[in-house]
Amino acid sequence: MNMVERPEPATTLDAFREDRTYLGADHRRNERRTLIVTVICAGTLVALVAGGLATRSVALTAAGLHMAAHVVALVVAAYAYRLARRHAENPAFSFGTGKVGYLAGFANAVVLAGTAVLIAAESVERFVRPHAVDYAGATPIAAGGLAVTLVCMWLLRPTREHAARHDPDGDLNLSAIHLHLGADAAVSVLALAAVVAGERLGWSFADPLAGLLAAGLVAQFAATLLKRAGKALLDINPSPELTAEVRARLSSGGERVIDLHLWRLGPGHHAAIAVLAADHPEPVEAYRARLAGLAGLSHVTIEVRAGAHAHIDHHGHAHG
């Protein structure tokens, strides 16, 4: 006997969402904060680039280049928030628009990696062809850039959804731009250290060296972000703990879970597909009720098969 899940009315079982809107709990808040930070960083970008060109500091120019990439990342993130919100109920998106932010995060990681290459290339060129640096003029600009970055990091600080038990990544779109800010802060610190070393110790090599170190740090940030966003986009199991809990609940009556898939739908939202084998199958609604209240689980599909006729093929698919 095969029984396939049918959508349950919200009044019968409201633990699983039927509106297919899988946006983060702080979606609108994060969208507003992202727009504010975009404006702040755009103004800082102009100051850093102008200061770097005026003082001939490659480290300061590197900070400006990274801030430029950061502004692009913020624009992409803000658009992703808007796009996801406007199309949240569009039936063309089978599982909602919750993963639009992950796509934006992946794109921003690519931009971050490109920035690392540009900073490295400029630093190497300055090693080969040194330029005189106006250290006195570069120091306050570098310090100001760092201060602005720290303020922006505070504005985009993680919120309650980032601490979700089964979704440590939370809103990856926000995490991506927060990571951009972290990289920018590191670059600013290196730029400030370079101009101070050059001014007080006469270390002319400190400026291009700081640029190379900054490129390495930015590249590392980009690799981390690419990995996190790639996992979500490729539907890699986001939580072995949540998977184990789903399996335990579904098999609590002696049933066998012969096929189970879990993937992320959006910040704080996951979907699960399960195939059960039972000697005395219960209605599908009973198995769904076992999962009610499970944090992070928003969409569930369950199929129940008579235990004597169920098996798994060599590809891991269940058959009855």
Side-chain angles (χ1 to χ4, degrees):
M1 176 174 63
N2 295 342
M3 293 185 290
V4 182
E5 171 216 7
R6 295 293 184 268
E8 298 293 333
T11 54
T12 303
L13 184 60
D14 60 2
F16 305 113
R17 303 168 63 90
E18 297 301 331
D19 58 8
R20 302 298 187 266
T21 302
Y22 302 115
L23 303 181
D26 295 311
H27 188 90
R28 288 184 176 274
R29 177 260 187 195
N30 293 341
E31 182 179 357
R32 290 193 300 270
R33 295 296 179 92
T34 300
L35 290 172
I36 293 173
V37 172
T38 300
V39 174
I40 295 174
C41 289
T44 306
L45 162 64
V46 174
L48 285 174
V49 172
L53 293 175
T55 61
R56 297 192 176 188
S57 167
V58 67
L60 198 55
T61 303
L65 284 174
H66 180 67
M67 182 62 76
H70 182 57
V71 170
V72 172
L74 284 164
V75 171
V76 171
Y79 180 72
Y81 279 124
R82 183 173 183 270
L83 180 67
R85 175 173 51 81
R86 292 189 62 184
H87 294 276
E89 299 181 5
N90 188 336
F93 296 88
S94 300
F95 285 100
T97 56
K99 293 176 75 171
V100 171
Y102 300 108
L103 183 60
F106 188 87
N108 283 334
V110 174
V111 173
L112 201 60
T115 303
V117 174
L118 290 176
I119 294 175
E122 179 66 13
S123 299
V124 171
E125 195 275 337
R126 288 299 178 93
F127 266 120
V128 176
R129 299 176 182 177
H131 294 275
V133 177
D134 179 4
Y135 296 114
T139 300
I141 299 175
L146 176 59
V148 170
T149 299
L150 293 176
V151 169
C152 292
M153 289 185 71
W154 180 82
L155 287 173
L156 293 177
R157 63 194 181 280
T159 55
R160 63 180 181 273
E161 68 183 6
H162 282 68
R165 178 183 174 190
H166 296 302
D167 193 12
D169 280 339
D171 187 341
L172 191 60
N173 194 24
L174 184 71
S175 295
I177 54 178
H178 200 264
L179 200 59
H180 266 269
L181 284 167
D184 188 66
V187 171
S188 296
V189 169
L190 287 171
L192 185 59
V195 294
V196 170
E199 181 181 19
R200 297 187 178 182
L201 303 176
W203 293 355
S204 59
F205 64 87
D207 191 62
L209 178 60
L212 283 176
L213 292 174
L217 283 174
V218 173
Q220 184 176 1
F221 278 103
T224 299
L225 186 54
L226 282 170
K227 182 178 180 180
R228 291 173 60 189
K231 285 183 176 180
L233 294 174
L234 293 174
D235 292 330
I236 293 176
N237 189 324
S239 175
E241 295 80 9
L242 180 58
T243 302
E245 192 162 352
V246 169
R247 183 182 298 275
R249 291 195 182 195
L250 290 177
S251 60
S252 60
E255 298 84 358
R256 290 184 297 118
V257 179
I258 59 178
D259 199 17
L260 178 60
H261 300 278
L262 186 80
W263 70 98
R264 183 182 281 111
L265 295 173
H269 298 288
H270 300 85
I273 293 179
V275 180
L276 308 180
D279 294 331
H280 304 287
E282 297 183 25
V284 172
E285 292 82 357
Y287 296 108
R288 286 168 60 89
R290 293 182 188 181
L291 302 178
L294 191 54
L297 193 60
S298 303
H299 181 84
V300 175
T301 301
I302 298 175
E303 181 178 341
V304 186
R305 301 182 177 212
H309 304 289
H311 68 278
I312 304 176
D313 63 20
H314 65 283
H315 294 295
H317 300 133
H319 297 276

